[in-house]
Amino acid sequence: MFTSFFFSDHFPVLGFVDKVTGLTGRLDKNFKEKDQSFKFQLTLDHIKALLMNIFVGGSDTSAATVIWSMTYLMKNPVAMGKAQKEVRLAIGKKDFVNEQDIQQLPYLKAVVKETMRLQPPAPLLVPRESTQKCSLGGYEIPAKTAVHINAWAIGRDPEAWRENPEEFKPERFIGSSIDVKGADFELIPFGAGRRICPAIHMGLANVELSLANLICAFDWEMPAGARSQDLDMDVQPGLAMHKRNALCLVATKYVQR
Ligand code: HEM
């Protein structure tokens, strides 16, 4: 069915041909059969909710991370300089950073990890409920308990991050195996275990690609009269942790000499 040629897909006015050839009837029958393999009736509302999940879950978190990364880089010009030098050297005369280039950018990746450590986009991950009674770290947790994991606090825990945990220091990840993929519990911006963010690779690519292109193509300055050290880190409370006040910067196109 998937590979069949439907006139209606290409020439809507000739859609009646699909009815005459029986394709439309076969399509309806297929849908009905597939629907029965679900334990419930899949409605348009379910599909809308699913698309909403993907759209909100995907765009909001990635956008928040790019803005926090830019904020930290503006407040740390040495780190901004290092990240720009790395990406500009790696792509040479090309005018766009692509996914392959990203693999040669360890410092940029460290910047993203460090941002996610300090400002995980979903600071309490997604609320969950325990299905059965269990014991964790000496605490008895009954079934049906609401569980919130404070990824924000874990990322700043001085026992896990011994070297100035409050400081933005991407270098802490250079030569370190700690990653955001759910295996290192001190850094879990995407969660961990079976309910870890299913789009972790897409989320990381969104952030790394946007950030790499922003800092590669432009030099960034504060608007006249503003100082980067005064940039605030105020947070807009919500499921996703956004910067409360808009980050206003002046971009100048970078021209390679
Ligand atoms: C920087 C980007 C992203 C971050 C930081 C992020 C973070 C998270 C976190 C913390 C969770 C909850 C994990 C848990 O409860 O343990 C989650 C779940 C989820 N994320 Fe992401 N996410 C990102 C990008 C995306 C994208 C791009 C999509 C979709 C295209 C997406 C779709 C989802 C969905 C559908 C779930 C629910 C999974 C479930 O309940 O089983 N996320 N994400």
Side-chain angles (χ1 to χ4, degrees):
M1 281 267 73
F2 185 58
T3 51
S4 306
F5 183 88
F6 280 80
F7 273 89
S8 48
D9 286 345
H10 305 274
F11 313 104
V13 68
L14 295 179
F16 67 91
V17 179
D18 298 332
K19 287 199 181 125
V20 176
T21 56
L23 267 181
T24 311
R26 274 177 61 201
L27 189 66
D28 282 348
K29 188 165 161 264
N30 253 285
F31 263 120
K32 283 193 187 112
E33 275 168 16
K34 291 278 173 289
D35 263 5
Q36 275 158 21
S37 61
F38 284 110
K39 296 222 163 59
F40 60 92
Q41 199 67 32
L42 193 64
T43 65
L44 263 184
D45 279 347
H46 292 121
I47 295 172
K48 278 193 271 180
L50 202 65
L51 290 176
M52 185 75 175
N53 254 359
I54 294 176
F55 195 72
V56 174
S59 49
D60 212 36
T61 43
S62 308
T65 313
V66 174
I67 292 170
W68 285 120
S69 301
M70 283 298 288
T71 311
Y72 277 117
L73 288 176
M74 289 306 292
K75 282 177 96 67
N76 293 272
V78 175
M80 172 68 100
K82 273 183 162 178
Q84 285 184 309
K85 192 168 167 202
E86 181 188 66
V87 61
R88 286 172 182 171
L89 262 176
I91 74 148
K93 294 220 178 309
K94 282 196 314 178
D95 57 0
F96 193 77
V97 189
N98 64 29
E99 270 182 270
Q100 278 89 51
D101 302 322
I102 295 288
Q103 306 320 316
Q104 312 162 45
L105 305 175
Y107 194 76
L108 181 107
K109 283 178 171 279
V111 166
V112 172
K113 279 187 203 171
E114 182 68 338
T115 304
M116 289 184 161
R117 178 182 75 82
L118 287 165
Q119 307 285 9
L124 299 178
L125 305 185
V126 170
R128 304 289 183 195
E129 190 184 87
S130 57
T131 48
Q132 34 181 283
K133 179 176 151 203
C134 66
S135 144
L136 197 64
Y139 293 94
E140 285 293 316
I141 301 175
K144 296 199 135 312
T145 304
V147 180
H148 298 266
I149 312 283
N150 194 339
W152 184 91
I154 295 172
R156 292 165 186 249
D157 180 2
E159 281 193 22
W161 304 95
R162 290 182 184 271
E163 219 182 302
N164 303 332
E166 297 289 331
E167 192 188 327
F168 177 79
K169 199 162 173 272
E171 287 74 10
R172 71 177 84 238
F173 289 107
I174 302 292
S176 154
S177 61
I178 297 180
D179 209 342
V180 291
K181 311 260 168 75
D184 303 296
F185 294 151
E186 61 271 59
L187 187 66
I188 46 167
F190 292 94
R194 74 167 78 161
R195 300 309 291 266
I196 191 171
C197 174
I200 176 167
H201 295 289
M202 184 179 169
L204 272 178
N206 277 345
V207 173
E208 291 171 351
L209 273 176
S210 316
L211 185 65
N213 278 293
L214 281 175
I215 63 169
C216 183
F218 300 100
D219 284 322
W220 296 90
E221 280 170 294
M222 296 297 292
R227 299 181 325 155
S228 59
Q229 58 268 43
D230 296 335
L231 269 175
D232 72 272
M233 303 301 274
D234 296 354
V235 167
Q236 178 73 46
L239 196 61
M241 190 163 70
H242 280 275
K243 192 172 176 325
R244 183 195 289 269
N245 301 305
L247 176 66
C248 296
L249 301 175
V250 179
T252 311
K253 181 87 184 104
Y254 169 71
V255 185
Q256 206 176 25
R257 274 170 233 131

